[in-house]
């Protein structure tokens, strides 16, 4: 009964379908939000003889590239971008984690040996949420879930699953697979900014995130971050739509081909400056713009629900999440399932006001690294849970791992 209750508590994250596979002492469940492979991508996924079971929350943007890297001729059972994880694991084991370009939390059960092996992984920055629970009386039993509310009835020990790591039941340990050059906050880069490289890497980050088979859009506040993402998305969608379709392209371009007209969304109190600014940007970009307003009372009435979905009482996170939560409900009611958002740029480039008072360039850089490392506790948590509360997925180009490799290696003097 506890199991069913916990499973139902996160159905808001995936209202399109429910799946469950029981194998020995292992139970794998999935609540699906169908965005890619909508006709055949129901989960959990299995290999040909069903000895490996996979359930994934997220998107694998380089799935086409990884499919080409498979050494064994493989017949895919679905059109899901996530199925490639299963086949790559069969060839290279846990090394698959470092090859993935995307946002994800996934669990893979390998029953090919006498003692089943469970591998769990979370994306490098922690864009998707993931938790691990244990029961003191039964320390050999481990639970994993995208939200705390699935675990608290059963587990007396619950911790956040660390981003950029995988858990392997063979060792019972977490291992970090994400090891970028910028991870050491004390290592201060000296390379001058290369604006062309920066622009091209961000453009690529946006372009790959247009992968979808459902209506999508952009969150547009009228500020620099969201306006930049929106402008790139509009331009790249138009380019993809106008170009001849090619099977040789390394990214999945279905989204822009199916839905070339970009929709933009903004939210605020009546006559808020953000709404006015967003209106101007949307007019310039010629998006199909949707503007939502709410009252102070509506915001106050929503706080209890926001806290329930966020699973935190942090004042700043709750305050920032309230308009996003309200807007996500409106967006989903319009039939949209995926949006691009501008989270992460202030941490990467030191955009917050207090960064202006950094004592030195090295300390400025150290703070940006630490802020990016901890995004999973704040902005990523907010963006994921505020939107997924309504079955809406938010993708964040500024936290693309290849873009971060460029932006976080710019000398801090060029960011000050």
């Amino acid at each position: 009964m506890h199991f069913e209750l916990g499973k139902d508590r996160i159905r808001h994250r995936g209202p399109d379908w429910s799946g469950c596979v029981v194998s020995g002492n292992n139970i794998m469940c999935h609540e699906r939000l169908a965005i890619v492979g909508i006709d055949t991508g129901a989960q959990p996924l299995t290999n040909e003889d069903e000895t490996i079971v996979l359930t994934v929350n997220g998107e694998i943007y380089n799935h086409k590239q990884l499919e080409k890297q498979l050494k064994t001729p493989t017949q895919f059972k679905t059109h899901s971008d996530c199925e490639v994880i299963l086949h790559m694991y069969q060839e290279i084991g846990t090394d698959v984690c470092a090859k993935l370009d995307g946002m994800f939390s996934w669990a893979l059960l390998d029953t090919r040996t006498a003692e089943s092996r469970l591998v769990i992984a979370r994306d490098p920055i922690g864009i998707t949420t993931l938790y691990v629970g244990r029961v003191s009386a039964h320390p050999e039993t481990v639970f994993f879930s995208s939200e705390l509310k699935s675990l608290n009835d059963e587990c007396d020990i619950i911790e956040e699953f660390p981003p950029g790591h995988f858990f392997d039941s063979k060792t019972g340990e977490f291992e970090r697979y994400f090891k970028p050059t910028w991870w050491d906050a004390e290592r201060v880069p000296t390379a001058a900014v290369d604006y062309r490289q920066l622009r091209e890497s961000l453009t690529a980050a946006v372009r790959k995130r247009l992968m979808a088979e459902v209506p999508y859009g952009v969150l547009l506040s009228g500020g620099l971050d969201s306006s930049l993402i929106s402008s790139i998305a509009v331009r790249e969608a138009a380019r993809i739509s106008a170009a001849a379709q090619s099977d040789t392209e390394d990214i999945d371009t279905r989204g822009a081909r199916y839905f070339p007209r970009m929709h933009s969304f903004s939210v605020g109190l009546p006559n808020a400056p953000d709404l006015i600014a967003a209106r101007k940007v949307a007019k310039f970009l010629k998006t199909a713009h949707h503007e939502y307003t709410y009252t102070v009372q509506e915001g106050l009435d929503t706080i209890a629900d926001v806290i329930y979905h966020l699973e935190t009482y942090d004042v700043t996170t709750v305050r920032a999440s309230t308009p996003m939560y309200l807007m996500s409900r409106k967006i989903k009611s319009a039939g949209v399932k995926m949006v691009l958002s501008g989270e992460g740029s202030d941490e990467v480039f030191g955009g917050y006001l207090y960064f202006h008072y950094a004592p030195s360039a090295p300390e400025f850089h150290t703070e940006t690294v630490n802020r990016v490392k901890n995004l999973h506790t704040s902005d990523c948590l907010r963006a994921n849970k505020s939107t997924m509360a309504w079955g809406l997925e938010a993708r964040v180009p500024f936290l693309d791992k290849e873009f971060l490799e460029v932006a976080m290696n710019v000398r801090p003097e060029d960011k000050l």
Side-chain angles (χ1 to χ4, degrees):
M1 184 176 70
H2 284 169
F3 165 72
E4 286 296 333
L5 183 61
K7 179 170 169 285
D8 291 346
R9 284 178 178 174
I10 60 169
R11 185 154 293 163
H12 53 270
R13 296 181 66 89
D16 297 333
W17 198 252
S18 300
C20 180
V21 171
V22 179
S23 178
N25 294 327
N26 303 283
I27 304 174
M28 307 275 281
C29 294
H30 189 264
E31 300 294 336
R32 187 180 188 216
L33 178 63
I35 295 178
V36 177
I38 58 176
D39 55 344
T40 60
Q43 297 191 37
L45 303 167
T46 61
N47 63 340
E48 191 172 346
D49 61 6
E50 301 188 347
T51 55
I52 301 178
V53 185
L54 174 71
T55 178
V56 188
N57 167 218
E59 309 293 341
I60 308 301
Y61 304 122
N62 65 335
H63 71 98
K64 291 182 69 175
Q65 296 159 272
L66 294 178
E67 289 167 17
K68 295 175 183 177
Q69 293 176 22
L70 290 170
K71 297 174 183 176
T72 305
T74 303
Q75 183 65 46
F76 280 70
K77 297 169 70 174
T78 74
H79 298 137
S80 170
D81 56 293
C82 298
E83 187 181 344
V84 72
I85 298 173
L86 191 154
H87 302 300
M88 289 291 289
Y89 168 82
Q90 286 184 278
E91 293 191 355
I92 62 174
T94 55
D95 288 345
V96 64
C97 300
K99 286 186 171 289
L100 301 177
D101 181 5
M103 56 182 224
F104 53 81
S105 294
W106 53 261
L108 182 146
L109 177 65
D110 185 350
T111 65
R112 294 176 297 174
T113 56
E115 186 174 350
S116 296
R117 182 186 190 186
L118 184 65
V119 179
I120 316 289
R122 189 180 182 192
D123 67 68
I125 303 299
I127 300 168
T128 60
T129 53
L130 187 61
Y131 302 92
V132 54
R134 300 178 190 272
V135 182
S136 298
H138 304 282
E140 74 284 357
T141 304
V142 187
F143 299 78
F144 298 91
S145 178
S146 292
E147 295 192 4
L148 295 164
K149 56 182 66 69
S150 295
L151 304 175
N152 65 311
D153 283 341
E154 196 70 35
C155 304
D156 57 355
I157 302 171
I158 303 177
E159 299 173 315
E160 184 182 12
F161 193 106
H165 286 68
F166 68 84
F167 170 84
D168 191 345
S169 65
K170 281 180 64 176
T171 63
E173 301 291 335
F174 293 88
E175 181 176 333
R176 184 159 72 91
Y177 68 85
F178 182 56
K179 302 173 183 178
T181 59
W182 54 267
W183 195 253
D184 181 2
E186 300 304 316
R187 172 192 163 276
V188 181
T190 58
V193 62
D194 182 332
Y195 290 108
R196 180 175 181 176
Q197 185 184 30
L198 197 66
R199 182 182 70 249
E200 290 177 351
S201 61
L202 182 58
T203 298
V206 174
R207 186 181 176 93
K208 71 179 72 166
R209 281 165 177 78
L210 298 178
M211 176 181 80
E213 295 177 26
V214 296
Y216 65 92
V218 291
L219 301 186
L220 180 59
S221 69
L224 178 61
D225 309 336
S226 65
S227 298
L228 185 57
I229 296 300
S230 298
S231 64
I232 296 172
V234 168
R235 184 188 67 209
E236 293 305 306
R239 286 178 176 175
I240 292 171
S241 179
Q245 187 165 355
S246 172
D247 292 332
T248 62
E249 190 159 7
D250 282 338
I251 64 169
D252 191 327
T253 60
R254 283 176 286 183
R257 296 189 188 284
Y258 294 168
F259 308 100
R261 179 75 188 279
M262 189 65 64
H263 289 254
S264 57
F265 304 91
S266 62
V267 66
L269 297 170
N271 300 314
D274 280 3
L275 292 181
I276 297 170
R279 216 175 292 154
K280 293 178 180 178
V281 176
K283 183 178 180 181
F284 177 79
L285 296 177
K286 297 181 173 58
T287 63
H289 190 57
H290 309 267
E291 183 177 294
Y292 304 120
T293 61
Y294 65 96
T295 65
V296 172
Q297 187 60 51
E298 286 172 329
L300 293 172
D301 292 343
T302 305
I303 289 177
D305 290 336
V306 170
I307 292 172
Y308 172 79
H309 284 287
L310 290 183
E311 303 175 314
T312 179
Y313 292 102
D314 179 73
V315 174
T316 301
T317 304
V318 172
R319 182 176 65 239
S321 297
T322 300
M324 195 170 196
Y325 175 86
L326 291 167
M327 177 170 57
S328 296
R329 186 176 190 178
K330 292 283 192 178
I331 292 173
K332 187 58 184 292
S333 70
V336 171
K337 284 188 176 182
M338 183 274 283
V339 289
L340 303 187
S341 189
E343 275 75 20
S345 64
D346 286 320
E347 288 77 11
V348 172
F349 293 106
Y352 294 119
L353 188 60
Y354 82 94
F355 275 101
H356 299 177
Y357 304 103
S360 66
E363 290 175 277
F364 175 96
H365 175 74
T366 297
E367 181 67 4
T368 61
V369 173
N370 290 332
R371 286 298 299 259
V372 171
K373 284 183 176 181
N374 287 295
L375 274 167
H376 63 97
T377 67
S378 53
D379 284 22
C380 286
L381 181 150
R382 168 181 57 79
N384 182 272
K385 291 183 177 179
S386 297
T387 55
M388 290 298 276
W390 299 106
L392 175 69
E393 180 179 88
R395 299 179 182 175
V396 284
F398 281 115
L399 297 182
D400 179 84
K401 69 176 185 178
E402 293 175 1
F403 174 73
L404 286 175
E405 190 64 26
V406 174
M408 297 303 289
N409 277 307
V410 172
R411 62 186 182 189
E413 289 84 356
D414 290 340
K415 294 182 179 180
L416 281 166

